[in-house]
Amino acid sequence: MDIRIDSLIPFDSLKTNIDHVFSVVDKNGKVVLLKDNKPAYIVLKYDENNLADTGIGMQEMPNYTLHEAMRIVLSEAENKTMHAAELADEIYKRRLYLKKDGSKAEYTQIRARCGHYPDMFEALPGNRIRLKN
């Protein structure tokens, strides 16, 4: 990645002169923010046609339902069992299911989904969820 010298900007400029930072991004396509005189962050101007050039890809998110995401993660878990909170965290980490607002499903939703699919999941004591065969 080629960086122009005028694209090197101190990080504190975000607080003191953000308009300048974004004018440089508009002009050069990117800015490198420096912390302690070392590159810390890169701000890129969005350009759908040049995403491959930056090494950044916009991948389409899988479109799983919550119970499908639960099945995927539990099928790979030891004994096909996980705590509901750990299951929620893993589903979110893998971005298998997101709520409409982009947040993760809470463990209470995971627990409730077990009741809707008793043929697929078993709720065990201690808020643990097991995938049935």
Side-chain angles (χ1 to χ4, degrees):
M1 177 185 294
D2 294 328
I3 305 292
R4 294 171 46 118
I5 193 77
D6 61 334
S7 293
L8 301 174
I9 298 179
F11 182 81
D12 292 338
S13 294
L14 285 175
K15 296 178 190 171
T16 59
N17 197 354
I18 195 162
D19 291 333
H20 171 68
V21 173
F22 285 103
S23 70
V24 175
V25 171
D26 286 336
K27 176 183 162 197
N28 297 336
K30 60 185 148 278
V31 164
V32 176
L33 298 173
L34 304 172
K35 267 189 166 179
D36 300 323
N37 289 327
K38 294 179 184 173
Y41 301 97
I42 298 174
V43 179
L44 298 173
K45 184 173 182 176
Y46 179 78
D47 182 356
E48 189 173 344
N49 298 324
N50 292 328
L51 285 176
D53 296 342
T54 63
I56 298 172
M58 297 297 287
Q59 299 175 351
E60 192 170 314
M61 298 296 295
N63 194 16
Y64 295 115
T65 62
L66 181 55
H67 67 278
E68 289 171 334
M70 291 167 58
R71 182 185 48 78
I72 290 167
V73 173
L74 286 171
S75 68
E76 300 168 4
E78 183 178 338
N79 297 325
K80 298 185 182 196
T81 304
M82 290 180 82
H83 189 276
E86 291 172 349
L87 181 55
D89 290 342
E90 186 64 23
I91 289 169
Y92 183 72
K93 183 176 112 181
R94 294 189 198 184
R95 298 292 197 258
L96 296 174
Y97 173 85
L98 299 175
K99 295 191 316 188
K100 288 181 182 176
D101 66 359
S103 63
K104 78 175 186 176
E106 298 297 325
Y107 77 92
T108 52
Q109 288 177 272
I110 300 280
R111 182 71 170 77
R113 196 58 62 104
C114 290
H116 294 296
Y117 294 90
D119 56 321
M120 192 180 292
F121 305 106
E122 181 179 6
L124 302 172
N127 238 0
R128 297 187 62 76
I129 310 298
R130 185 174 68 82
L131 178 65
K132 291 183 176 179
N133 290 333

PDB file of all heavy atoms in Angstrom, residues 49-78:
ATOM      1  N   ASN A  49     -15.550  -0.205  -5.856  1.00  0.00           N
ATOM      2  CA  ASN A  49     -14.816  -0.766  -6.991  1.00  0.00           C
ATOM      3  C   ASN A  49     -13.388  -1.148  -6.647  1.00  0.00           C
ATOM      4  O   ASN A  49     -12.787  -1.954  -7.335  1.00  0.00           O
ATOM      5  CB  ASN A  49     -14.806   0.224  -8.156  1.00  0.00           C
ATOM      6  CG  ASN A  49     -16.201   0.504  -8.658  1.00  0.00           C
ATOM      7  OD1 ASN A  49     -17.044  -0.381  -8.683  1.00  0.00           O
ATOM      8  ND2 ASN A  49     -16.455   1.750  -9.015  1.00  0.00           N
ATOM      9  N   ASN A  50     -12.833  -0.568  -5.586  1.00  0.00           N
ATOM     10  CA  ASN A  50     -11.430  -0.817  -5.264  1.00  0.00           C
ATOM     11  C   ASN A  50     -11.231  -1.583  -3.960  1.00  0.00           C
ATOM     12  O   ASN A  50     -10.151  -1.568  -3.405  1.00  0.00           O
ATOM     13  CB  ASN A  50     -10.660   0.511  -5.195  1.00  0.00           C
ATOM     14  CG  ASN A  50     -10.548   1.154  -6.560  1.00  0.00           C
ATOM     15  OD1 ASN A  50     -10.476   0.456  -7.563  1.00  0.00           O
ATOM     16  ND2 ASN A  50     -10.554   2.467  -6.595  1.00  0.00           N
ATOM     17  N   LEU A  51     -12.245  -2.274  -3.477  1.00  0.00           N
ATOM     18  CA  LEU A  51     -12.084  -3.023  -2.236  1.00  0.00           C
ATOM     19  C   LEU A  51     -11.047  -4.126  -2.372  1.00  0.00           C
ATOM     20  O   LEU A  51     -10.298  -4.401  -1.445  1.00  0.00           O
ATOM     21  CB  LEU A  51     -13.422  -3.619  -1.787  1.00  0.00           C
ATOM     22  CG  LEU A  51     -14.404  -2.631  -1.196  1.00  0.00           C
ATOM     23  CD1 LEU A  51     -15.715  -3.327  -0.875  1.00  0.00           C
ATOM     24  CD2 LEU A  51     -13.850  -1.956   0.032  1.00  0.00           C
ATOM     25  N   ALA A  52     -10.961  -4.747  -3.521  1.00  0.00           N
ATOM     26  CA  ALA A  52      -9.964  -5.802  -3.724  1.00  0.00           C
ATOM     27  C   ALA A  52      -8.554  -5.239  -3.631  1.00  0.00           C
ATOM     28  O   ALA A  52      -7.644  -5.903  -3.152  1.00  0.00           O
ATOM     29  CB  ALA A  52     -10.176  -6.476  -5.070  1.00  0.00           C
ATOM     30  N   ASP A  53      -8.358  -3.998  -4.069  1.00  0.00           N
ATOM     31  CA  ASP A  53      -7.038  -3.373  -4.017  1.00  0.00           C
ATOM     32  C   ASP A  53      -6.570  -3.147  -2.586  1.00  0.00           C
ATOM     33  O   ASP A  53      -5.385  -3.137  -2.309  1.00  0.00           O
ATOM     34  CB  ASP A  53      -7.038  -2.032  -4.742  1.00  0.00           C
ATOM     35  CG  ASP A  53      -7.314  -2.194  -6.230  1.00  0.00           C
ATOM     36  OD1 ASP A  53      -7.168  -3.324  -6.752  1.00  0.00           O
ATOM     37  OD2 ASP A  53      -7.684  -1.185  -6.857  1.00  0.00           O
ATOM     38  N   THR A  54      -7.497  -2.938  -1.665  1.00  0.00           N
ATOM     39  CA  THR A  54      -7.128  -2.667  -0.279  1.00  0.00           C
ATOM     40  C   THR A  54      -6.979  -3.931   0.542  1.00  0.00           C
ATOM     41  O   THR A  54      -6.541  -3.888   1.672  1.00  0.00           O
ATOM     42  CB  THR A  54      -8.185  -1.773   0.402  1.00  0.00           C
ATOM     43  OG1 THR A  54      -9.422  -2.477   0.429  1.00  0.00           O
ATOM     44  CG2 THR A  54      -8.334  -0.453  -0.306  1.00  0.00           C
ATOM     45  N   GLY A  55      -7.384  -5.065  -0.031  1.00  0.00           N
ATOM     46  CA  GLY A  55      -7.326  -6.311   0.729  1.00  0.00           C
ATOM     47  C   GLY A  55      -8.535  -6.490   1.624  1.00  0.00           C
ATOM     48  O   GLY A  55      -8.608  -7.411   2.414  1.00  0.00           O
ATOM     49  N   ILE A  56      -9.497  -5.599   1.497  1.00  0.00           N
ATOM     50  CA  ILE A  56     -10.698  -5.679   2.311  1.00  0.00           C
ATOM     51  C   ILE A  56     -11.815  -6.187   1.430  1.00  0.00           C
ATOM     52  O   ILE A  56     -12.057  -5.636   0.361  1.00  0.00           O
ATOM     53  CB  ILE A  56     -11.084  -4.305   2.884  1.00  0.00           C
ATOM     54  CG1 ILE A  56      -9.969  -3.809   3.796  1.00  0.00           C
ATOM     55  CG2 ILE A  56     -12.399  -4.373   3.629  1.00  0.00           C
ATOM     56  CD1 ILE A  56     -10.164  -2.382   4.244  1.00  0.00           C
ATOM     57  N   GLY A  57     -12.479  -7.228   1.852  1.00  0.00           N
ATOM     58  CA  GLY A  57     -13.592  -7.765   1.077  1.00  0.00           C
ATOM     59  C   GLY A  57     -14.893  -7.604   1.825  1.00  0.00           C
ATOM     60  O   GLY A  57     -14.932  -7.742   3.031  1.00  0.00           O
ATOM     61  N   MET A  58     -15.914  -7.304   1.097  1.00  0.00           N
ATOM     62  CA  MET A  58     -17.242  -7.214   1.702  1.00  0.00           C
ATOM     63  C   MET A  58     -17.933  -8.539   1.411  1.00  0.00           C
ATOM     64  O   MET A  58     -18.415  -8.770   0.316  1.00  0.00           O
ATOM     65  CB  MET A  58     -18.037  -6.056   1.092  1.00  0.00           C
ATOM     66  CG  MET A  58     -17.416  -4.702   1.333  1.00  0.00           C
ATOM     67  SD  MET A  58     -17.337  -4.256   3.055  1.00  0.00           S
ATOM     68  CE  MET A  58     -19.034  -3.895   3.383  1.00  0.00           C
ATOM     69  N   GLN A  59     -17.924  -9.413   2.395  1.00  0.00           N
ATOM     70  CA  GLN A  59     -18.536 -10.711   2.203  1.00  0.00           C
ATOM     71  C   GLN A  59     -19.985 -10.652   2.670  1.00  0.00           C
ATOM     72  O   GLN A  59     -20.298 -10.018   3.665  1.00  0.00           O
ATOM     73  CB  GLN A  59     -17.798 -11.777   3.005  1.00  0.00           C
ATOM     74  CG  GLN A  59     -16.361 -11.925   2.584  1.00  0.00           C
ATOM     75  CD  GLN A  59     -15.621 -12.887   3.477  1.00  0.00           C
ATOM     76  OE1 GLN A  59     -16.122 -13.311   4.504  1.00  0.00           O
ATOM     77  NE2 GLN A  59     -14.418 -13.233   3.086  1.00  0.00           N
ATOM     78  N   GLU A  60     -20.815 -11.326   1.934  1.00  0.00           N
ATOM     79  CA  GLU A  60     -22.208 -11.374   2.325  1.00  0.00           C
ATOM     80  C   GLU A  60     -22.337 -12.264   3.556  1.00  0.00           C
ATOM     81  O   GLU A  60     -21.740 -13.329   3.632  1.00  0.00           O
ATOM     82  CB  GLU A  60     -23.046 -11.933   1.180  1.00  0.00           C
ATOM     83  CG  GLU A  60     -24.512 -11.748   1.402  1.00  0.00           C
ATOM     84  CD  GLU A  60     -25.310 -12.087   0.171  1.00  0.00           C
ATOM     85  OE1 GLU A  60     -24.922 -11.651  -0.919  1.00  0.00           O
ATOM     86  OE2 GLU A  60     -26.311 -12.799   0.316  1.00  0.00           O
ATOM     87  N   MET A  61     -23.104 -11.796   4.509  1.00  0.00           N
ATOM     88  CA  MET A  61     -23.296 -12.536   5.748  1.00  0.00           C
ATOM     89  C   MET A  61     -24.176 -13.747   5.487  1.00  0.00           C
ATOM     90  O   MET A  61     -25.116 -13.668   4.704  1.00  0.00           O
ATOM     91  CB  MET A  61     -23.973 -11.645   6.794  1.00  0.00           C
ATOM     92  CG  MET A  61     -23.177 -10.422   7.173  1.00  0.00           C
ATOM     93  SD  MET A  61     -21.623 -10.807   7.960  1.00  0.00           S
ATOM     94  CE  MET A  61     -22.191 -11.578   9.444  1.00  0.00           C
ATOM     95  N   PRO A  62     -23.889 -14.862   6.171  1.00  0.00           N
ATOM     96  CA  PRO A  62     -24.794 -15.998   6.051  1.00  0.00           C
ATOM     97  C   PRO A  62     -26.172 -15.594   6.581  1.00  0.00           C
ATOM     98  O   PRO A  62     -26.275 -14.778   7.485  1.00  0.00           O
ATOM     99  CB  PRO A  62     -24.163 -17.063   6.943  1.00  0.00           C
ATOM    100  CG  PRO A  62     -22.840 -16.563   7.352  1.00  0.00           C
ATOM    101  CD  PRO A  62     -22.774 -15.107   7.032  1.00  0.00           C
ATOM    102  N   ASN A  63     -27.189 -16.175   6.022  1.00  0.00           N
ATOM    103  CA  ASN A  63     -28.541 -15.814   6.406  1.00  0.00           C
ATOM    104  C   ASN A  63     -29.195 -16.980   7.140  1.00  0.00           C
ATOM    105  O   ASN A  63     -30.127 -17.598   6.631  1.00  0.00           O
ATOM    106  CB  ASN A  63     -29.344 -15.425   5.152  1.00  0.00           C
ATOM    107  CG  ASN A  63     -30.624 -14.723   5.499  1.00  0.00           C
ATOM    108  OD1 ASN A  63     -30.806 -14.264   6.617  1.00  0.00           O
ATOM    109  ND2 ASN A  63     -31.517 -14.657   4.549  1.00  0.00           N
ATOM    110  N   TYR A  64     -28.680 -17.305   8.318  1.00  0.00           N
ATOM    111  CA  TYR A  64     -29.212 -18.408   9.107  1.00  0.00           C
ATOM    112  C   TYR A  64     -30.253 -17.896  10.087  1.00  0.00           C
ATOM    113  O   TYR A  64     -30.172 -16.771  10.578  1.00  0.00           O
ATOM    114  CB  TYR A  64     -28.099 -19.099   9.909  1.00  0.00           C
ATOM    115  CG  TYR A  64     -27.062 -19.791   9.065  1.00  0.00           C
ATOM    116  CD1 TYR A  64     -25.748 -19.344   9.058  1.00  0.00           C
ATOM    117  CD2 TYR A  64     -27.383 -20.889   8.285  1.00  0.00           C
ATOM    118  CE1 TYR A  64     -24.781 -19.984   8.288  1.00  0.00           C
ATOM    119  CE2 TYR A  64     -26.428 -21.527   7.510  1.00  0.00           C
ATOM    120  CZ  TYR A  64     -25.132 -21.070   7.519  1.00  0.00           C
ATOM    121  OH  TYR A  64     -24.186 -21.703   6.760  1.00  0.00           O
ATOM    122  N   THR A  65     -31.198 -18.765  10.405  1.00  0.00           N
ATOM    123  CA  THR A  65     -32.103 -18.472  11.515  1.00  0.00           C
ATOM    124  C   THR A  65     -31.345 -18.776  12.797  1.00  0.00           C
ATOM    125  O   THR A  65     -30.287 -19.426  12.768  1.00  0.00           O
ATOM    126  CB  THR A  65     -33.372 -19.335  11.436  1.00  0.00           C
ATOM    127  OG1 THR A  65     -32.988 -20.709  11.535  1.00  0.00           O
ATOM    128  CG2 THR A  65     -34.145 -19.086  10.144  1.00  0.00           C
ATOM    129  N   LEU A  66     -31.874 -18.329  13.913  1.00  0.00           N
ATOM    130  CA  LEU A  66     -31.183 -18.560  15.186  1.00  0.00           C
ATOM    131  C   LEU A  66     -31.043 -20.049  15.475  1.00  0.00           C
ATOM    132  O   LEU A  66     -29.973 -20.507  15.876  1.00  0.00           O
ATOM    133  CB  LEU A  66     -31.900 -17.841  16.327  1.00  0.00           C
ATOM    134  CG  LEU A  66     -31.271 -17.989  17.709  1.00  0.00           C
ATOM    135  CD1 LEU A  66     -29.811 -17.545  17.700  1.00  0.00           C
ATOM    136  CD2 LEU A  66     -32.062 -17.205  18.741  1.00  0.00           C
ATOM    137  N   HIS A  67     -32.094 -20.813  15.263  1.00  0.00           N
ATOM    138  CA  HIS A  67     -31.987 -22.242  15.568  1.00  0.00           C
ATOM    139  C   HIS A  67     -31.029 -22.958  14.618  1.00  0.00           C
ATOM    140  O   HIS A  67     -30.350 -23.907  15.015  1.00  0.00           O
ATOM    141  CB  HIS A  67     -33.365 -22.920  15.625  1.00  0.00           C
ATOM    142  CG  HIS A  67     -34.090 -22.983  14.333  1.00  0.00           C
ATOM    143  ND1 HIS A  67     -34.817 -21.931  13.842  1.00  0.00           N
ATOM    144  CD2 HIS A  67     -34.196 -23.985  13.425  1.00  0.00           C
ATOM    145  CE1 HIS A  67     -35.351 -22.280  12.687  1.00  0.00           C
ATOM    146  NE2 HIS A  67     -34.983 -23.514  12.409  1.00  0.00           N
ATOM    147  N   GLU A  68     -30.905 -22.494  13.359  1.00  0.00           N
ATOM    148  CA  GLU A  68     -29.914 -23.074  12.451  1.00  0.00           C
ATOM    149  C   GLU A  68     -28.498 -22.755  12.931  1.00  0.00           C
ATOM    150  O   GLU A  68     -27.618 -23.625  12.909  1.00  0.00           O
ATOM    151  CB  GLU A  68     -30.101 -22.528  11.037  1.00  0.00           C
ATOM    152  CG  GLU A  68     -31.342 -23.045  10.339  1.00  0.00           C
ATOM    153  CD  GLU A  68     -31.627 -22.327   9.029  1.00  0.00           C
ATOM    154  OE1 GLU A  68     -31.215 -21.156   8.863  1.00  0.00           O
ATOM    155  OE2 GLU A  68     -32.266 -22.948   8.173  1.00  0.00           O
ATOM    156  N   ALA A  69     -28.281 -21.522  13.379  1.00  0.00           N
ATOM    157  CA  ALA A  69     -26.966 -21.135  13.903  1.00  0.00           C
ATOM    158  C   ALA A  69     -26.638 -21.942  15.159  1.00  0.00           C
ATOM    159  O   ALA A  69     -25.491 -22.380  15.341  1.00  0.00           O
ATOM    160  CB  ALA A  69     -26.949 -19.641  14.200  1.00  0.00           C
ATOM    161  N   MET A  70     -27.629 -22.141  16.008  1.00  0.00           N
ATOM    162  CA  MET A  70     -27.420 -22.952  17.219  1.00  0.00           C
ATOM    163  C   MET A  70     -26.997 -24.373  16.839  1.00  0.00           C
ATOM    164  O   MET A  70     -26.073 -24.938  17.418  1.00  0.00           O
ATOM    165  CB  MET A  70     -28.703 -22.988  18.053  1.00  0.00           C
ATOM    166  CG  MET A  70     -29.068 -21.676  18.698  1.00  0.00           C
ATOM    167  SD  MET A  70     -30.765 -21.635  19.366  1.00  0.00           S
ATOM    168  CE  MET A  70     -30.736 -23.008  20.528  1.00  0.00           C
ATOM    169  N   ARG A  71     -27.681 -24.945  15.840  1.00  0.00           N
ATOM    170  CA  ARG A  71     -27.374 -26.306  15.397  1.00  0.00           C
ATOM    171  C   ARG A  71     -25.946 -26.393  14.871  1.00  0.00           C
ATOM    172  O   ARG A  71     -25.204 -27.325  15.186  1.00  0.00           O
ATOM    173  CB  ARG A  71     -28.367 -26.743  14.319  1.00  0.00           C
ATOM    174  CG  ARG A  71     -28.147 -28.170  13.830  1.00  0.00           C
ATOM    175  CD  ARG A  71     -29.073 -28.536  12.678  1.00  0.00           C
ATOM    176  NE  ARG A  71     -29.126 -27.539  11.611  1.00  0.00           N
ATOM    177  CZ  ARG A  71     -28.184 -27.377  10.672  1.00  0.00           C
ATOM    178  NH1 ARG A  71     -27.097 -28.125  10.683  1.00  0.00           N
ATOM    179  NH2 ARG A  71     -28.319 -26.462   9.731  1.00  0.00           N
ATOM    180  N   ILE A  72     -25.521 -25.405  14.095  1.00  0.00           N
ATOM    181  CA  ILE A  72     -24.165 -25.405  13.527  1.00  0.00           C
ATOM    182  C   ILE A  72     -23.116 -25.397  14.631  1.00  0.00           C
ATOM    183  O   ILE A  72     -22.176 -26.195  14.630  1.00  0.00           O
ATOM    184  CB  ILE A  72     -23.972 -24.200  12.582  1.00  0.00           C
ATOM    185  CG1 ILE A  72     -24.811 -24.383  11.316  1.00  0.00           C
ATOM    186  CG2 ILE A  72     -22.503 -24.004  12.231  1.00  0.00           C
ATOM    187  CD1 ILE A  72     -24.938 -23.134  10.468  1.00  0.00           C
ATOM    188  N   VAL A  73     -23.263 -24.495  15.580  1.00  0.00           N
ATOM    189  CA  VAL A  73     -22.262 -24.372  16.644  1.00  0.00           C
ATOM    190  C   VAL A  73     -22.287 -25.585  17.566  1.00  0.00           C
ATOM    191  O   VAL A  73     -21.237 -26.137  17.911  1.00  0.00           O
ATOM    192  CB  VAL A  73     -22.476 -23.062  17.433  1.00  0.00           C
ATOM    193  CG1 VAL A  73     -21.558 -23.000  18.641  1.00  0.00           C
ATOM    194  CG2 VAL A  73     -22.241 -21.858  16.522  1.00  0.00           C
ATOM    195  N   LEU A  74     -23.474 -26.029  17.957  1.00  0.00           N
ATOM    196  CA  LEU A  74     -23.565 -27.174  18.870  1.00  0.00           C
ATOM    197  C   LEU A  74     -23.049 -28.461  18.220  1.00  0.00           C
ATOM    198  O   LEU A  74     -22.495 -29.316  18.914  1.00  0.00           O
ATOM    199  CB  LEU A  74     -25.001 -27.362  19.349  1.00  0.00           C
ATOM    200  CG  LEU A  74     -25.495 -26.343  20.363  1.00  0.00           C
ATOM    201  CD1 LEU A  74     -26.986 -26.508  20.602  1.00  0.00           C
ATOM    202  CD2 LEU A  74     -24.721 -26.451  21.663  1.00  0.00           C
ATOM    203  N   SER A  75     -23.203 -28.597  16.911  1.00  0.00           N
ATOM    204  CA  SER A  75     -22.724 -29.816  16.243  1.00  0.00           C
ATOM    205  C   SER A  75     -21.204 -29.937  16.328  1.00  0.00           C
ATOM    206  O   SER A  75     -20.666 -31.033  16.230  1.00  0.00           O
ATOM    207  CB  SER A  75     -23.179 -29.848  14.783  1.00  0.00           C
ATOM    208  OG  SER A  75     -22.528 -28.841  14.035  1.00  0.00           O
ATOM    209  N   GLU A  76     -20.510 -28.823  16.547  1.00  0.00           N
ATOM    210  CA  GLU A  76     -19.053 -28.828  16.643  1.00  0.00           C
ATOM    211  C   GLU A  76     -18.552 -28.804  18.084  1.00  0.00           C
ATOM    212  O   GLU A  76     -17.360 -28.914  18.323  1.00  0.00           O
ATOM    213  CB  GLU A  76     -18.492 -27.614  15.893  1.00  0.00           C
ATOM    214  CG  GLU A  76     -18.847 -27.607  14.416  1.00  0.00           C
ATOM    215  CD  GLU A  76     -18.541 -26.286  13.737  1.00  0.00           C
ATOM    216  OE1 GLU A  76     -17.986 -25.379  14.389  1.00  0.00           O
ATOM    217  OE2 GLU A  76     -18.876 -26.155  12.544  1.00  0.00           O
ATOM    218  N   ALA A  77     -19.472 -28.651  19.037  1.00  0.00           N
ATOM    219  CA  ALA A  77     -19.088 -28.540  20.452  1.00  0.00           C
ATOM    220  C   ALA A  77     -18.881 -29.919  21.064  1.00  0.00           C
ATOM    221  O   ALA A  77     -19.455 -30.916  20.613  1.00  0.00           O
ATOM    222  CB  ALA A  77     -20.168 -27.783  21.222  1.00  0.00           C
ATOM    223  N   GLU A  78     -18.072 -29.941  22.117  1.00  0.00           N
ATOM    224  CA  GLU A  78     -17.844 -31.178  22.846  1.00  0.00           C
ATOM    225  C   GLU A  78     -19.159 -31.650  23.449  1.00  0.00           C
ATOM    226  O   GLU A  78     -19.882 -30.882  24.088  1.00  0.00           O
ATOM    227  CB  GLU A  78     -16.813 -30.938  23.957  1.00  0.00           C
ATOM    228  CG  GLU A  78     -16.464 -32.186  24.724  1.00  0.00           C
ATOM    229  CD  GLU A  78     -15.413 -31.915  25.790  1.00  0.00           C
ATOM    230  OE1 GLU A  78     -14.681 -30.929  25.678  1.00  0.00           O
ATOM    231  OE2 GLU A  78     -15.355 -32.718  26.732  1.00  0.00           O
TER     232      GLU A  78
END
